[in-house]
Amino acid sequence: MINVKRTLVFPGLVLLACWGVGLIFPDLFNAYFQTLVIYSCINIILAVSLNLVNGFTGQFSIGHAGFMAAGAYMSAWLTMTFPHWAGPFLGINFFFNTIAGGLLAAAAGYGVGLPSLRLKGDYLAIVTLGFGEIIRVVLLNIDAVGGARGMYGIPKTASFGWAAGWVFICILTVSRLVNSTHGRAFLSVREDEIAAESVGINTTQYKVRAFVISSFFAGVAGAIFAHFLCYLNPNSFNFMKSIDVVVMVVLGGMGSISGSVVAAIIITLLPEALRPLQEITKLDFRMVIYSLTLIVLMLTKPQGLFGKLEVSDIWKKYVRRSS
Amino acid sequence: MEAFFQHLINGISLGSIYALIALGYTMVYGILQLINFAHSDVYMVGAFIGFYSARWLHVSDSPSYMNFFTVLIIAMVGCGILGFLIERLAYRPIRNAPKLNALITAIGVSLFLEYTGQIVFGPTPQVFPNILSDSIIFSTTSGGVRITRFDATILLTGVGLMIVLEYIIHKTKLGKAMRATSYNSQWASLMGIPVDTIISMTFVIGSALAAAGGILVGIKYPKIEPLMGIMIGLKAFIAAVLGGIGNLGGAVLGGIIMGVAEEFVVGYGAATYRDALAFGILIIILLFRPAGLLGHFSVEKV
Amino acid sequence: MSDVLLKAKDVTIKFGGLTAVSGFNLELCKGELVGLIGPNGAGKTTVFNMLTGVYQPTSGNIDLLGSPIKGIKPFELSERGIARTFQNIRLFKDLTVLDNIRVAAHQHMHYTMAEALTLSKRMEREEKQALEKAFELLKIFHLENRAYEASSALPYGQQRRLEILRALATEPQVLLLDEPAAGMNHSETHDLMDTIGHIRKKFGVTILLIEHDMKLVMGICERVIVLDHGTIISEGVPQKIQKDPKVIEAYLGSSVADEPGGP
């Protein structure tokens, strides 16, 4: 028996609101602002999903871009090859293609995760990096999806409604999982695998589950990206992109969903904020500042902006103090 | 048949360079259990130090071995200092932090060097000056197999440096201290070994070797640019893992194997997959023999 | 003779060239409280690791509740009914006191991830039960008031106790305690002895414990096994092994007249 109010009504209302705002969104804001918002949504989904693996389960995955690519290409290929397989409305097709992209990415996550997750720390990081690159190189060599030239002409079906809707679903999923016995299982893997095993947690199973769920949403983010930019190139999904997402997770705080959201927005807006500096000096300082941020963050505040806390925890502390 | 030998020669040449860089990775990992992502960028800086000092010395007017050695020494010293600074400023403060943090710091330093390099050296590739002139020093009668002076220089320099390293590690007090520290740094410090100094020295030596790699690459493949370290660093790291990370002999063996494998892949037709090959090797090794060819796994104490 | 819950026969383990434990035999019967003692490095924790599936013996057999455990992973053995604490406490440091307990209760929760997403009635019910059970356990050691603090914030003695509670939360039939009194003073050790007795009665667990504190061992163990350099050198009631010259020699390195209280 499911809890009707919290399962259907609340999410239903939020999604309806997203759709509603989405209808008037293009009229409210200019194209530039729209782009920033949609990219923020994509990055939020990437960061929150990666946080599940890196922050909550304590594994080190730095190949997230590979799963994003899988989702992007799968969904885009379906859209281009079977434009109306799910009916006359492009939006509905987009929805199902996004899910298909997510599923392929999840399958890739399973394929990568199952053999790799018995490796520790550094080794796992390198393997995930390696797989990310392999996916990219493989895509470069598949002519059916454009290869090195890229894929053009993808219809722009990723509107605000869809992007915001998926952000909500992603956050809801991760948050509900984390606040359940399964979430505690993920955390126990992070804290101490041997102790976790000793109390009955199948650590391998939970690591793989985190990986698969996280990869699914990376794929979803990829699908949204594909149907917004309308052009795909395997080189958009390189190691740098994976590092982008890692920076977001670390900056926000590994283990804080709120932190990932905030950090994703900051990282999306940062290049824009630096643009005036770039115009004046004609030099691209973005990556230099990025890297310095990483170093300084690790040296001074390795727990990131939010640490392991959520907005609700900080709110509670604030309310308690003032009462 | 002759193509086979030519590829082999090229592979060993390339492999020596991978080996030099891999040694730095393996030494640092052996002592700190840290993957020094910035190592490949130290290599890049070495190449650029060579570039600028060669120009300053007006070396291309008269290429010679004397010039080669001068540039080599300058680069090795310069990068030794750079490696020392990186360890001191970025890695030492987080030495006791969780491994994840250390890895991220290393990535940060790497990116910092790359993109600052782009700003300082300019993002477009530069041409390494001629500090040595090339010539064919050995050739089969049909000309199908040739060993050039560049190849010989690379091989001899590489081997020479490895012999020096071997001597330091096994025949000096410093080397003994380094081995002790990499075995167990807590015990080493209890025995009176100045662990901080030893770690610094490890970085200095590793960075110097990377610089040498940079110079040798500059000689043979004269196009250099600030992002040149990424791919080669990854491959050299994979070489270190292949041989058994923490194991010096493994790094050399791994480097040679990687170099030869890559040359054969390119030579026999699948050039687009040359980079993917490296990752393929990595994944196979990590899945089937994570300790590497010459390494051994230590059991975690419960 | 009551059921043998845990049985080890001729268990040997070698690490490379080193034989850490050889010819270890054990028959742990339902309701017993047995002590495993020996000098440092004797192999006691290695025995625990084999009994819980962390290490696989090189030879010999171990049966838990009648079934062989060869090749079975630790988490499965926990589900079958064996729990342990660790020599160097292994709590989930960043998790709360309460959550340390609740993680251990995970194996008794049946709601799926999908149900967690839809907040099913079963989830609500099971979570409520788990919360209640967890607090009941915390009350045994008066930790219920610190339920929402990070477990790393507890003083050392409380952390040890929390680890025992966590092991109990898995509802085991066999409980292995690795140096539960380490770092405790006399009165704390005395309390611990009472608590262990209380736990035995309340939960009906069978206990095998490793200890160096002889007062505790002599005080509560019905039977003691003595390990030295990986082999059993003596076995029997506390009074008997206390006087056994082999045991005295193992601890002190030479023959010494016996003193009350043990070596």
Side-chain angles (χ1 to χ4, degrees):
Chain A
M1 282 300 299
I2 58 174
N3 183 318
V4 174
K5 191 166 81 163
R6 276 192 274 166
T7 317
L8 294 180
V9 174
F10 166 62
L13 284 177
V14 174
L15 288 171
L16 205 64
C18 290
W19 177 72
V21 173
L23 286 178
I24 55 169
F25 191 74
D27 305 318
L28 286 177
F29 304 111
N30 62 44
Y32 176 66
F33 188 79
Q34 286 183 55
T35 311
L36 285 182
V37 170
I38 304 277
Y39 275 123
S40 297
C41 290
I42 293 172
N43 283 332
I44 290 174
I45 298 175
L46 287 171
V48 171
S49 59
L50 185 63
N51 208 345
L52 182 62
V53 173
N54 288 10
F56 290 102
T57 315
Q59 302 305 296
F60 206 19
S61 166
I62 53 175
H64 217 45
F67 304 119
M68 186 186 177
Y73 271 91
M74 179 65 175
S75 61
W77 177 78
L78 278 175
T79 306
M80 304 286 278
T81 324
F82 307 110
H84 295 287
W85 71 271
F89 297 108
L90 278 183
I92 304 293
N93 279 282
F94 170 58
F95 175 68
F96 285 110
N97 291 344
T98 304
I99 295 193
L103 288 175
L104 179 67
Y110 187 77
V112 170
L114 197 57
S116 318
L117 285 164
R118 54 196 169 91
L119 299 170
K120 301 276 179 229
D122 303 342
Y123 286 111
L124 177 62
I126 295 295
V127 168
T128 54
L129 169 60
F131 271 112
E133 286 295 290
I134 286 183
I135 292 176
R136 185 180 64 86
V137 170
V138 164
L139 284 170
L140 269 175
N141 286 290
I142 300 181
D143 284 321
V145 291
R149 287 171 294 112
M151 194 193 282
Y152 293 84
I154 307 168
K156 195 167 179 145
T157 35
S159 58
F160 174 79
W162 288 115
W166 277 112
V167 165
F168 173 68
I169 294 177
C170 177
I171 293 181
L172 192 70
T173 303
V174 174
S175 143
R176 284 194 175 171
L177 276 181
V178 163
N179 288 311
S180 72
T181 188
H182 303 286
R184 293 191 290 268
F186 288 133
L187 290 171
S188 72
V189 171
R190 177 188 76 193
E191 293 295 301
D192 191 323
E193 275 188 56
I194 291 179
E197 287 258 330
S198 80
V199 294
I201 306 288
N202 184 342
T203 55
T204 306
Q205 184 189 64
Y206 272 92
K207 286 189 221 174
V208 173
R209 282 181 184 182
F211 224 68
V212 167
I213 295 171
S214 139
S215 306
F216 173 80
F217 283 109
V220 165
I224 298 174
F225 175 75
H227 290 77
F228 182 73
L229 188 62
C230 306
Y231 162 67
L232 281 183
N233 186 305
N235 291 319
S236 326
F237 304 103
N238 59 11
F239 176 54
M240 277 304 127
K241 184 67 195 164
S242 292
I243 291 295
D244 262 6
V245 187
V246 171
V247 171
M248 291 179 221
V249 171
V250 171
L251 176 63
M254 287 197 274
S256 168
I257 298 175
S258 326
S260 295
V261 172
V262 170
I265 297 175
I266 293 177
I267 296 296
T268 312
L269 300 180
L270 190 64
E272 305 308 310
L274 289 175
R275 192 153 293 200
L277 184 65
Q278 203 174 322
E279 310 273 284
I280 301 174
T281 59
K282 297 274 182 282
L283 294 171
D284 187 359
F285 277 103
R286 189 180 74 113
M287 287 308 293
V288 177
I289 295 191
Y290 236 51
S291 50
L292 278 175
T293 307
L294 273 183
I295 299 173
V296 169
L297 203 60
M298 285 296 108
L299 290 177
T300 58
K301 203 173 196 292
Q303 67 273 36
L305 293 171
F306 280 72
K308 295 195 167 100
L309 302 174
E310 301 291 346
V311 173
S312 48
D313 300 320
I314 301 174
W315 178 258
K316 265 184 229 157
K317 266 198 201 156
Y318 176 72
V319 168
R320 222 179 277 162
R321 206 182 298 165
S322 55
S323 59
Chain B
M1 194 56 196
E2 291 194 318
F4 177 85
F5 280 109
Q6 187 63 55
H7 289 313
L8 194 61
I9 292 167
N10 294 343
I12 294 177
S13 180
L14 182 62
S16 314
I17 296 174
Y18 285 155
L20 281 174
I21 304 172
L23 282 167
Y25 278 119
T26 220
M27 281 166 56
V28 168
Y29 192 87
I31 262 191
L32 283 182
Q33 280 79 54
L34 167 75
I35 299 178
N36 183 9
F37 269 88
H39 189 59
S40 56
D41 303 293
V42 170
Y43 147 88
M44 176 270 292
V45 172
F48 274 95
I49 293 180
F51 173 78
Y52 285 110
S53 47
R55 292 227 297 211
W56 176 59
L57 292 172
H58 298 290
V59 150
S60 22
D61 303 337
S62 53
S64 70
Y65 272 105
M66 188 60 176
N67 285 318
F68 165 67
F69 279 116
T70 316
V71 168
L72 185 68
I73 301 289
I74 295 176
M76 286 176 75
V77 169
C79 284
I81 296 174
L82 177 63
F84 175 81
L85 288 173
I86 292 174
E87 191 274 322
R88 201 65 185 67
L89 297 174
Y91 293 155
R92 189 176 295 190
I94 45 119
R95 205 180 285 171
N96 292 317
K99 288 294 171 56
L100 238 65
N101 296 10
L103 200 62
I104 294 172
T105 310
I107 293 177
V109 175
S110 169
L111 292 175
F112 178 73
L113 287 175
E114 281 161 18
Y115 289 95
T116 310
Q118 278 202 326
I119 291 179
V120 170
F121 304 137
T124 47
Q126 313 260 27
V127 179
F128 204 78
N130 286 331
I131 48 178
L132 273 186
S133 59
D134 199 9
S135 63
I136 299 173
I137 60 172
F138 170 85
S139 174
T140 56
T141 40
S142 57
V145 183
R146 282 174 288 185
I147 302 180
T148 64
R149 178 184 283 184
F150 283 172
D151 288 328
T153 310
I154 291 173
L155 193 62
L156 289 173
T157 313
V159 169
L161 287 171
M162 289 177 217
I163 292 178
V164 170
L165 181 70
E166 179 74 10
Y167 179 80
I168 294 178
I169 297 287
H170 283 109
K171 295 273 196 285
T172 66
K173 214 162 148 199
L174 169 68
K176 205 181 232 174
M178 286 170 76
R179 279 181 286 142
T181 312
S182 87
Y183 187 74
N184 188 315
S185 55
Q186 276 182 313
W187 296 349
S189 80
L190 288 175
M191 303 245 111
I193 292 176
V195 167
D196 281 349
T197 314
I198 296 301
I199 294 179
S200 291
M201 283 312 297
T202 309
F203 271 85
V204 168
I205 296 176
S207 303
L209 292 174
I215 300 296
L216 294 174
V217 163
I219 289 177
K220 181 154 174 174
Y221 310 94
K223 231 172 64 165
I224 63 170
E225 45 109 11
L227 300 185
M228 67 194 269
I230 299 178
M231 249 311 144
I232 203 169
L234 233 27
K235 290 177 185 172
F237 174 72
I238 295 172
V241 173
L242 173 63
I245 194 124
N247 184 311
L248 296 179
V252 175
L253 179 63
I256 302 292
I257 295 178
M258 290 290 290
V260 171
E262 186 173 327
E263 274 298 318
F264 275 105
V265 160
V266 171
Y268 288 113
T272 43
Y273 284 102
R274 81 187 293 169
D275 294 343
L277 165 77
F279 286 108
I281 292 179
L282 174 71
I283 286 161
I284 291 173
I285 272 284
L286 285 180
L287 293 182
F288 294 107
R289 206 191 147 89
L293 295 173
L294 300 182
H296 49 249
F297 239 171
S298 49
V299 186
E300 182 179 354
K301 193 158 198 276
V302 178
Chain C
M1 188 57 174
S2 40
D3 319 297
V4 175
L5 296 188
L6 186 58
K7 184 164 138 181
K9 194 152 167 17
D10 292 327
V11 170
T12 298
I13 188 166
K14 297 191 183 148
F15 294 106
L18 173 72
T19 303
V21 172
S22 84
F24 183 78
N25 287 295
L26 170 73
E27 273 192 19
L28 192 63
C29 300
K30 189 169 161 81
E32 279 198 286
L33 204 178
V34 177
L36 180 62
I37 69 172
N40 275 320
K44 311 185 290 294
T45 301
T46 309
V47 166
F48 266 26
N49 286 338
M50 288 192 284
L51 295 174
T52 52
V54 176
Y55 294 157
Q56 292 296 319
T58 321
S59 63
N61 299 306
I62 302 175
D63 290 345
L64 173 66
L65 302 172
S67 310
I69 69 168
K70 190 168 169 149
I72 307 288
K73 306 200 92 192
F75 77 87
E76 267 191 71
L77 290 180
S78 171
E79 287 171 351
R80 289 191 191 183
I82 186 167
R84 72 169 299 173
T85 62
F86 295 90
Q87 191 175 16
N88 306 312
I89 310 174
R90 282 190 172 242
L91 285 175
F92 302 122
K93 293 208 190 86
D94 267 333
L95 299 191
T96 59
V97 166
L98 179 64
D99 278 344
N100 268 271
I101 305 280
R102 289 202 286 185
V103 170
H106 174 79
Q107 53 180 275
H108 304 298
M109 308 270 230
H110 301 291
Y111 69 90
T112 62
M113 281 182 148
E115 287 183 65
L117 292 181
T118 57
L119 300 175
S120 69
K121 289 260 189 297
R122 180 159 79 156
M123 170 181 172
E124 273 187 42
R125 196 179 2 111
E126 289 188 344
E127 284 286 327
K128 187 155 171 273
Q129 275 174 2
L131 193 65
E132 282 167 5
K133 276 194 186 164
F135 269 101
E136 267 178 50
L137 276 173
L138 288 176
K139 286 197 183 114
I140 297 177
F141 281 129
H142 312 296
L143 283 169
E144 71 275 23
N145 293 322
R146 307 190 72 163
Y148 295 101
E149 288 178 42
S151 64
S152 53
L154 292 182
Y156 179 80
Q158 303 275 55
Q159 287 190 22
R160 278 221 169 263
R161 291 184 202 131
L162 179 59
E163 220 195 8
I164 296 175
L165 292 176
R166 184 180 67 178
L168 284 172
T170 62
E171 295 174 21
Q173 295 202 44
V174 178
L175 180 60
L176 304 183
L177 299 174
D178 200 338
E179 298 193 35
M184 288 187 183
N185 62 32
H186 279 316
S187 76
E188 287 174 325
T189 308
H190 194 83
D191 286 340
L192 182 66
M193 284 163 68
D194 284 342
T195 311
I196 292 180
H198 173 71
I199 287 173
R200 271 179 91 192
K201 240 185 269 157
K202 179 164 176 174
F203 295 98
V205 278
T206 306
I207 300 177
L208 175 65
L209 65 81
I210 293 176
E211 245 319 318
H212 280 294
D213 186 325
M214 285 306 142
K215 260 184 100 183
L216 187 144
V217 172
M218 299 302 157
I220 60 173
C221 293
E222 298 164 346
R223 173 161 76 93
V224 178
I225 302 172
V226 187
L227 212 60
D228 185 30
H229 288 101
T231 54
I232 298 178
I233 58 170
S234 185
E235 194 175 341
V237 294
Q239 290 75 14
K240 179 186 136 195
I241 62 109
Q242 185 183 334
K243 297 200 181 78
D244 188 334
K246 276 186 281 177
V247 175
I248 299 173
E249 190 180 328
Y251 271 98
L252 295 177
S254 59
S255 281
V256 172
D258 52 317
E259 297 166 79

